[in-house]
Amino acid sequence: MDAVAVGGPSRPLNGTVSILPYDPAWPGLFEREARRIREALGDRVRLLEHVGSTSVPGLAAKAQIDIVLAVPDSADEPSYVPDLEAAGYVLVIREADWFEHRMFRGPEIRLNLHTFTEGSSEITKMLTFRDWLRTHPEDRELYQRTKLELASREWVYMQHYADAKTEVVEGILARAGWIPAAPPERAA
């Protein structure tokens, strides 16, 4: 985790994860951040969507908004990072070997701004998972039960909690018809 962290080592959680009942204010928080991101990047925003548990009505979640942003080339940081930073976002993760993912924290609320290159299969995966949970209550309930059970355990890092959900997430994605894609080869 520290290998992809920007600005220093990852902060450990060393505790449980706080999961709250669904809050109908979450979509409004996303909309506010979406306006700020669009103002900062203009037509470089190729896609901007509310994802993660806070984007699924009725689903309990961490009180943290997840947003996925597509830009023309997420590896070309000079083309968008300075403008996001000027708007108050802080680059915290750089994963060149995983879909050229970049992640920012927000200026005012707890959020993860996941940034990928336009057309990334990881964006499609996130949207497929969200949309399936919105329309399939049995899988939404399964996912919620899994999250609540795992959240009660002690975790050193938040990523360990996220990784522990992988089997359930993959099962849901399989039912949704998702076919995994390998990260693209890096140019030599």
Side-chain angles (χ1 to χ4, degrees):
M1 282 179 280
D2 289 341
V4 298
V6 176
S10 300
R11 291 181 308 161
L13 173 64
N14 291 323
T16 59
V17 176
S18 177
I19 303 289
L20 302 176
Y22 179 79
D23 185 339
W26 289 335
L29 293 174
F30 162 74
E31 290 299 333
R32 187 184 75 193
E33 294 302 318
R35 282 190 297 277
R36 184 190 325 255
I37 294 163
R38 288 185 191 286
E39 286 173 8
L41 297 181
D43 66 359
R44 290 168 287 173
V45 173
R46 301 302 168 86
L47 175 138
L48 191 61
E49 293 277 345
H50 187 187
V51 294
S53 295
T54 61
S55 71
V56 180
L59 182 60
K62 297 186 307 290
Q64 178 170 290
I65 306 299
D66 283 293
I67 300 172
V68 65
L69 165 67
V71 295
D73 180 1
S74 57
D76 182 11
E77 290 184 20
S79 72
Y80 69 96
V81 171
D83 291 325
L84 285 175
E85 290 176 335
Y89 296 92
V90 177
L91 179 64
V92 295
I93 292 177
R94 177 183 295 118
E95 294 180 285
D97 293 333
W98 187 69
F99 302 97
E100 289 292 353
H101 174 245
R102 306 300 190 267
M103 191 178 85
F104 299 80
R105 297 276 189 232
E108 295 175 10
I109 63 169
R110 289 186 59 209
L111 70 81
N112 293 324
L113 175 59
H114 300 279
T115 306
F116 296 97
T117 298
E118 178 180 23
S120 170
S121 63
E122 192 61 19
I123 294 171
T124 306
K125 177 182 175 182
M126 289 176 159
L127 297 177
T128 298
F129 188 71
R130 178 201 66 191
D131 293 348
W132 184 265
L133 291 181
R134 284 178 172 177
T135 58
H136 291 81
E138 65 286 351
D139 275 334
R140 183 174 56 245
E141 289 302 316
L142 169 64
Y143 187 53
Q144 180 166 282
R145 280 192 314 272
T146 301
K147 288 170 27 138
L148 291 170
E149 190 277 319
L150 292 172
S152 68
R153 298 182 190 174
E154 297 275 329
W155 301 98
V156 175
Y157 289 101
M158 184 65 76
Q159 187 60 48
H160 296 157
Y161 159 77
D163 292 345
K165 298 183 296 182
T166 299
E167 184 178 335
V168 169
V169 169
E170 287 177 351
I172 292 169
L173 283 166
R175 287 188 289 284
W178 171 253
I179 299 170
E185 295 286 327
R186 292 206 31 100

